[in-house]
Amino acid sequence: MRMNQSYLDPAFIDSFRKVFTCSAAEPKDDSKPQTVSVRAENGEGIVVASPFHTGKLRNILPKEFLHGLRKELGELNWHERLNDLYWFYQTDDLALNGNTHIKALRDYLAGEEFVGFMEKITGVELTRGYLDLAAQRYKKGNHLLCHDDDVQRGKLTRKIAYIIYLVDEDWGSEDGGALGLFESDSNMCPTRVVARIVPEFNSIGFFLTGHASYHTVEEVTVGSPDRERWSVTGWFYGPAPPEPDTSEPNVTAVSLQESVLPRVVDFASADGIGSKLHAEDFAELEKWVNADYTSAKVIDRIQNAFLNESSVELREFLRADLFDKCLAELDDGFWADAVAALPPGPAHVAKYLRADVTDQDAPTLYGLLGFLRSPTFARFLAGLTSLEFAGVSQEVRRFKHGDYTLVHDQVVEPFGVDVTLSLVPKPDAASDVQWEESWGGATHYIADKDELLRISPESNSLSLVLRDEGTLRFVKYVNHMAKAIRQDISMVFVEAPREDEDDNDDDTGE
């Protein structure tokens, strides 16, 4: 088995390399990035020069071989891979697989003819003997979100990522699963997809990996669940660049943390807000909270549940009339005004809409936000959790199809009690539409690789979760099957230092 020999023609190699290695062209206004076709006798090469160097070769391998390859792959064990970043199915590493077609493909891709060819058309030095190879199947709803593939292995680093497409021959853009390429801002952070490569049977897509090679496998949106996006993927390796100077602070990391997370506001009282409700607090609670949750007996019962489980959900939390008013204010017009206001991004950290609420746009919601960050609510929360709080962050969020948050080592939320008031619409009596787990959009709590808790959106439900060091959370990607939007008020109440902690801080040993 060998590749299409017309691609080995020196004339094609020279023409393709000249286009592929030239400086990425800046697209004019909002037009598509520059795409150039390079013809071969029995094939066609495509170069997308922007946002980063990407190529595609059609009719790359013998069709009969690929059909045999897919048959062998179908007989292997496949593992579901699911976390904040992705959801798809994958084989084990194929490096030692002895099946006829799989071994032939691996040997050829790692051999001198193909490695040398990739070096010639990309201008990148590659190391022989290092090749990653695995197969993937993306079913309906599967996806791989924004990331850059910039990974080192000792003295080697990924240089070229490749995808050999084994999809049905009639696969089209409407089936989803395109390779989406992100442009980056001045801080080298991804902003939006500006180019796409649609999967095509018997083609290979490839691109140069690096700090700004942000890309995604867009959600598969096939009509039939039997139709899947098949591919074989991996990386070619080369010498790693010199390690960067770490003596200077990472300004990008600092700015990323500050730009993504809402600011924690300390409570005003220098003496603290206390943990016991004042007499006047009950009148304020009655304005907003379902009366079932304000009695001393119920508060004690909730506290016991929280102490046992470190989490609790309070359904029908707000007074029904006020909840309905908040939903009415959160209409399409409200979110349309918020589109350009406070985008949290960038795409390798989060994608959702954050609203800046004013008294004029949404008076009931504005009043609710003030109540939820007030000392009164903090004391109420202290009664529910037996904790005292020093400050709170707060944001109003909307997640629709394509939105998510990701765990990121440069964006670490403050630890404390996560307080989330779900503002998803009530189930429609006519259509019985309520949030389904298959739509995504749930909040997942994890420690290492273990899932500790999953909370799905539920109308007028307040969730309290103690999140300490080592526990992270994310909102799972909302897929195209979602028939509603997820909207909420998300807060983190930061715990006040305890007296014994203050005493330890003073004992410096000096």
Side-chain angles (χ1 to χ4, degrees), residues 416-474:
V417 175
D418 295 331
V419 179
T420 306
L421 178 60
S422 178
L423 298 174
V424 298
K426 295 179 180 178
D428 189 309
S431 61
D432 196 30
V433 172
Q434 58 185 356
W435 198 275
E436 296 182 9
E437 187 173 343
S438 61
W439 298 350
T443 301
H444 297 246
Y445 286 84
I446 59 172
D448 295 325
K449 295 182 179 180
D450 297 325
E451 181 173 281
L452 307 177
L453 179 67
R454 182 184 306 182
I455 301 176
S456 293
E458 183 174 339
S459 182
N460 196 8
S461 176
L462 185 81
S463 65
L464 313 178
V465 181
L466 178 62
R467 182 173 44 78
D468 52 15
E469 189 172 3
T471 302
L472 303 169
R473 66 171 175 166
F474 64 88

Side-chain angles (χ1 to χ4, degrees), residues 20-265:
F20 190 87
T21 58
C22 71
S23 299
E26 288 292 335
K28 298 178 180 178
D29 51 80
D30 288 329
S31 64
K32 294 181 179 180
Q34 182 181 356
T35 300
V36 179
S37 172
V38 182
R39 295 285 180 177
E41 182 179 347
N42 189 29
E44 180 186 17
I46 304 293
V47 175
V48 180
S50 178
F52 49 88
H53 295 296
T54 305
K56 176 181 177 180
L57 301 175
R58 291 189 166 112
N59 190 27
I60 185 67
L61 295 169
K63 279 189 176 183
E64 296 77 10
F65 173 82
L66 292 182
H67 289 305
L69 174 66
R70 178 163 164 168
K71 184 176 185 300
E72 285 184 356
L73 292 172
E75 296 170 352
L76 300 180
N77 292 323
W78 292 79
H79 311 287
E80 183 180 27
R81 300 195 62 191
L82 173 64
N83 64 13
D84 59 322
L85 184 65
Y86 50 70
W87 180 29
F88 58 83
Y89 295 80
Q90 182 166 288
T91 64
D92 293 323
D93 185 356
L94 299 176
L96 300 178
N97 189 287
N99 284 308
T100 303
H101 292 78
I102 296 172
K103 183 178 184 301
L105 178 66
R106 182 186 66 245
D107 292 347
Y108 185 71
L109 293 181
E112 183 57 37
E113 182 171 87
F114 196 79
V115 175
F117 169 74
M118 293 301 293
E119 281 187 324
K120 291 174 183 177
I121 64 172
T122 63
V124 174
E125 178 186 357
L126 300 176
T127 300
R128 273 64 175 166
Y130 289 88
L131 177 76
D132 287 337
L133 184 73
Q136 293 82 27
R137 292 161 61 185
Y138 285 73
K139 302 181 181 183
K140 184 175 182 178
N142 289 179
H143 54 270
L144 171 58
L145 301 179
C146 181
H147 64 291
D148 63 7
D149 276 5
D150 187 24
V151 175
Q152 282 195 209
R153 180 189 288 177
K155 295 183 178 180
L156 298 178
T157 188
R158 291 175 178 175
K159 290 290 189 178
I160 299 174
Y162 68 89
I163 314 103
I164 299 174
Y165 292 109
L166 302 175
V167 293
D168 296 343
E169 296 193 40
D170 61 347
W171 193 277
S173 57
E174 68 280 2
D175 294 311
L179 175 67
L181 311 178
F182 284 85
E183 67 177 0
S184 298
D185 60 20
S186 58
N187 291 321
M188 305 298 284
C189 290
T191 55
R192 62 190 179 103
V193 171
V194 294
R196 290 175 173 85
I197 292 182
V198 176
E200 180 181 355
F201 177 75
N202 195 13
S203 69
I204 182 171
F206 55 93
F207 57 87
L208 305 188
T209 61
H211 295 307
S213 59
Y214 289 104
H215 59 284
T216 178
V217 176
E218 297 182 331
E219 181 187 355
V220 170
T221 54
V222 293
S224 169
D226 298 327
R227 193 169 168 86
E228 299 176 357
R229 178 194 187 273
W230 288 62
S231 64
V232 173
T233 69
W235 296 270
F236 293 96
Y237 285 79
E243 293 187 6
D245 181 9
T246 58
S247 61
E248 297 295 328
N250 189 336
V251 177
T252 300
V254 173
S255 62
L256 187 61
Q257 175 96 359
E258 293 177 348
S259 67
V260 173
L261 298 180
R263 184 169 60 93
V264 174
V265 178

